[in-house]
Amino acid sequence: MKLCLIFCIFLTLLSSQQRDLKKLENLTNNIFFKTNPLYLEMIFNKKAKINQKWYEKGEVVENFFIKEISMHSVLLQDLQGSFLYLGFKK
């Protein structure tokens, strides 16, 4: 009887770990991890050329909202509210 109880507890813990792994997998499959690489090519007249297309502040590129365009970088924000700086390659 004790062995059966221990086995049932083990199965419960195992299924709990599998659910936690599934949650982690779902987190890593969010928009941030599925976007194509972004390449900042040029900034001119408050516009940024990213992946061969011109964008202005307030527009959306690959599920990122352009918050700011400075002389040397672009500040992006994803749907979860995380920020990403996009700069020139050195």
Side-chain angles (χ1 to χ4, degrees):
M1 184 71 173
K2 287 183 181 181
L3 183 59
C4 180
L5 181 61
I6 292 172
F7 185 70
C8 289
I9 292 172
F10 173 75
L11 288 177
T12 303
L13 290 173
L14 183 63
S15 68
S16 174
Q17 285 179 337
Q18 288 174 340
R19 280 186 300 232
D20 290 343
L21 287 175
K22 192 68 174 169
K23 287 179 189 175
L24 182 61
E25 182 181 314
N26 289 340
L27 280 175
T28 58
N29 285 333
N30 70 16
I31 293 172
F32 183 76
F33 291 99
K34 289 192 172 207
T35 59
N36 295 321
L38 299 174
Y39 299 103
L40 179 61
E41 299 171 23
M42 187 182 306
I43 294 176
F44 180 74
N45 201 21
K46 297 185 181 181
K47 295 181 183 177
K49 187 175 183 183
I50 302 171
N51 293 5
Q52 302 178 354
K53 187 175 175 190
W54 287 99
Y55 296 92
E56 294 182 68
K57 180 180 175 181
E59 292 186 316
V60 176
V61 54
E62 292 287 331
N63 297 314
F64 287 95
F65 179 74
I66 299 176
K67 295 290 284 184
E68 195 67 46
I69 299 175
S70 69
M71 290 177 57
H72 303 288
S73 65
V74 177
L75 177 63
L76 305 172
Q77 186 177 20
D78 67 8
L79 295 175
Q80 288 82 27
S82 299
F83 291 97
L84 173 72
Y85 273 100
L86 196 57
F88 295 113
K89 285 187 176 183
K90 292 185 179 187

